[in-house]
């Protein structure tokens, strides 16, 4: 146990040494803090599982996926000629 010592002089000129435990004062403060912590009422307190950052990330994911799907669909819709010939038709006669 930690002790705090103090010197005091009596009325007759002699010096007396007294010891007071510090741990007792510290434990009283801890008990007061524990009482305050235990006294918190959590009724009506709700925790949000989806924060704005998480929601923004999910929205970005779906937007990116949607735009990628549209891009891949458009790339697949690009048509080219079915038959390759050695001599191309004259300009103006392509159809």
């Amino acid at each position: 146990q930690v002790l705090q010592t103090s010197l005091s002089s009596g009325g007759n000129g002699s010096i007396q040494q007294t010891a007071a435990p510090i741990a007792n004062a510290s434990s009283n403060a801890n008990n007061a803090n524990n009482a305050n912590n235990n006294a918190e009422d959590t009724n009506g307190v709700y925790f949000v599982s989806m924060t704005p950052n998480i929601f923004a990330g999910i929205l970005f994911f779906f937007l990116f996926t949607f735009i990628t799907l549209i891009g891949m669909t458009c790339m697949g819709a690009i048509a080219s000629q079915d038959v390759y010939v050695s001599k191309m038709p004259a300009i103006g006669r392509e159809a």
Side-chain angles (χ1 to χ4, degrees):
Q1 195 176 36
V2 178
L3 297 176
Q4 179 183 11
T5 60
S6 63
L7 298 175
S8 63
S9 63
N12 59 5
S14 65
I15 297 176
Q16 298 173 348
Q17 184 175 6
T18 58
I22 293 178
N24 191 13
S26 176
S27 65
N28 286 341
N30 287 337
N31 289 339
N33 286 336
N34 288 337
N36 287 337
N37 291 338
N38 293 334
E40 291 180 6
D41 186 17
T42 58
N43 291 336
V45 176
Y46 301 100
F47 296 99
V48 179
S49 59
M50 184 176 297
T51 63
N53 288 336
I54 293 172
F55 185 63
I58 291 172
L59 285 179
F60 177 76
F61 171 76
F62 284 123
L63 176 71
F64 182 76
T65 304
F66 182 69
I67 291 174
T68 303
L69 178 66
I70 290 174
M72 297 301 276
T73 304
C74 290
M75 292 288 285
I78 296 175
S80 63
Q81 58 187 4
D82 296 331
V83 178
Y84 294 99
V85 293
S86 60
K87 183 178 179 189
M88 299 299 286
I91 296 177
R93 298 280 184 162
E94 294 91 0

